[in-house]
Amino acid sequence: MAEMFYDDDADLSIIQGKKVAIVGFGSQGHAHAMNLRDSGVEVVVALKDGSKSAQKAADEGFEVKNVADATQWADVIMILAPDQVQRTIYTESIQPHLAEGKTLAFAHGFNVRFGYIEAPTTVDVILVAPKAPGHTVRREFVAGRGIPDIIAVENDASGQAWDLALSYAKGIGGTRAGVIRTTFTEETETDLFGEQAVLCGGMSHLVQAGFETLTDAGYQPEIAYFEVLHELKLIVDLMIEGGISKQRWSISDTAEFGDYVSGPRIVTDQTKQAMKEVLSDIQDGSFARRFIEDQDKGGEEFQKLREAEAQHPIETVGKDLRKMFSWNKETVDADYTEGSAAR
């Protein structure tokens, strides 16, 4: 069984006694900064000079420093910038000012796991990763609830790194829901696999393939959209509430029977073998190298793939259909061309 921790297991005063710099003010950055501040922690937001996020942070009442100054000032430096830029930020602005006794913190282990960031042995290196987007982390905290976190320690120079990680998790609301102990390697490899094989890559391409199968057979694109994409949220919500068993309990007997007899025809032994190959590419660093090398070239492959996927017919059909939903008026047709919300 996983090792679980809750509010009573964590000492909030540990993080309250630290000065914390949050590097980045995107989805996760704004949530960490605001939740910690509400928990009585002294926080500054660390951004590169000229960052467009500086005014947003200032408007929320935060002092904004450049990353080098923030690193010198802080006891704990939480890096919440996108994976592909973390090593540059670290090399140029953090490493030269990372004095003995400080703590380097992450919400994803990518750069540490694959060796793009190698911290000195004289500092603690911890991970505190909420398992939800930052806006949800903030919303749940304000509501008096929390999002489950996972925590890890890569280097325990002080002998108190685990206590600090747990205290930080309490500061952002994680221990209200529950915190699981892991390692940088386990968090990174399982996170990347889940994204690629199931949550993002697997799901989106399964939806596209289902849409293509129905429209190729002559069915209306609008009907295909509803059947393979729109109802997906309803199914996933049931899984979140009570697992796969509740989803199967909630649907019709016809749908449940179809699940049992047809699901294995789609997700076959060949599919599982492909998943193992995806996992192998993650474990041996192949995916990380491909991603970082492409980013170093300006993201040529990334942009080409993004543009190609955006042209899929399901996107055009969905854009029109989503206008039908009154509850969706505020977010429909949002401009997603800027990329990850973490930025």
Side-chain angles (χ1 to χ4, degrees):
M1 288 291 292
E3 195 172 359
M4 300 286 295
F5 303 92
Y6 297 94
D7 272 348
D8 290 344
D9 301 309
D11 181 358
L12 186 61
S13 69
I14 297 174
I15 195 64
Q16 288 174 329
K18 304 290 186 180
K19 295 181 293 186
V20 178
I22 301 295
V23 182
F25 201 69
S27 176
Q28 287 291 334
H30 92 279
H32 285 237
M34 296 177 79
N35 290 6
L36 287 171
R37 181 175 64 184
D38 288 353
S39 293
V41 180
E42 187 177 3
V43 178
V44 302
V45 173
L47 298 168
K48 64 181 181 181
D49 293 328
S51 171
K52 292 185 292 185
S53 296
Q55 189 59 52
K56 295 178 184 178
D59 289 345
E60 293 292 347
F62 288 102
E63 180 182 359
V64 179
K65 295 177 178 285
N66 66 40
V67 180
D69 289 344
T71 300
Q72 289 180 301
W73 171 86
D75 302 308
V76 178
I77 302 96
M78 168 59 86
I79 303 180
L80 295 172
D83 290 331
Q84 65 268 33
V85 300
Q86 286 189 12
R87 76 192 194 282
T88 301
I89 293 172
Y90 174 78
T91 301
E92 294 179 353
S93 301
I94 296 177
Q95 188 176 25
H97 310 288
L98 197 59
E100 181 177 348
K102 291 181 181 286
T103 297
L104 195 62
F106 300 85
H108 181 38
F110 183 97
N111 279 274
V112 173
R113 163 63 181 85
F114 296 114
Y116 293 108
I117 291 178
E118 296 183 4
T121 58
T122 54
V123 302
D124 288 346
V125 180
I126 67 173
L127 178 141
V128 183
K131 302 312 294 178
H135 298 291
T136 307
V137 173
R138 178 59 181 165
R139 183 191 68 210
E140 291 298 287
F141 182 93
V142 171
R145 300 184 294 265
I147 291 296
D149 292 354
I150 57 179
I151 64 172
V153 171
E154 185 73 8
N155 190 49
D156 189 3
S158 69
Q160 299 177 320
W162 282 108
D163 292 336
L164 176 60
L166 198 54
S167 182
Y168 186 107
K170 186 170 184 175
I172 62 172
T175 52
R176 297 175 181 177
V179 173
I180 301 176
R181 180 168 174 155
T182 184
T183 66
F184 270 68
T185 294
E186 183 177 57
E187 184 277 334
T188 303
E189 294 177 359
T190 57
D191 184 78
L192 292 176
F193 176 80
E195 291 169 350
Q196 295 174 31
V198 181
L199 304 178
C200 302
M203 179 273 292
S204 61
H205 285 83
L206 180 64
V207 167
Q208 289 175 336
F211 180 86
E212 292 166 6
T213 300
L214 288 176
T215 55
D216 288 350
Y219 298 103
Q220 296 179 76
E222 294 80 6
I223 300 300
Y225 174 91
F226 279 118
E227 298 302 337
V228 303
L229 190 153
H230 174 73
E231 294 190 25
L232 184 65
K233 180 182 186 304
L234 310 178
I235 296 299
V236 172
D237 283 348
L238 290 168
M239 289 184 179
I240 297 297
E241 292 171 11
I244 295 174
S245 60
K246 180 170 183 179
Q247 176 262 130
R248 287 171 171 162
W249 173 81
S250 301
I251 60 179
S252 69
D253 289 347
T254 312
E256 185 180 358
F257 185 70
D259 176 342
Y260 299 140
V261 300
S262 298
R265 298 172 64 189
I266 303 301
V267 182
T268 63
D269 289 342
Q270 184 178 3
T271 307
K272 190 172 181 180
Q273 179 57 39
M275 285 184 166
K276 291 180 179 179
E277 292 168 5
V278 168
L279 180 58
S280 178
D281 285 347
I282 292 167
Q283 291 172 327
D284 67 17
S286 298
F287 169 78
R289 286 191 296 274
R290 180 176 178 179
F291 174 64
I292 293 299
E293 288 172 5
D294 180 60
Q295 289 294 312
D296 287 346
K297 297 175 184 176
E300 295 175 0
E301 182 182 19
F302 180 51
Q303 294 299 333
K304 187 181 297 184
L305 290 169
R306 173 185 280 171
E307 291 168 9
E309 291 291 330
Q311 301 306 312
H312 194 281
I314 200 171
E315 299 300 329
T316 302
V317 173
K319 184 176 181 180
D320 291 333
L321 287 178
R322 285 189 291 273
K323 296 175 183 177
M324 297 169 58
F325 309 135
S326 60
W327 45 263
N328 204 32
K329 294 300 184 185
E330 293 183 3
T331 58
V332 74
D333 294 340
D335 182 2
Y336 300 117
T337 58
E338 292 301 315
S340 171
R343 298 177 189 176

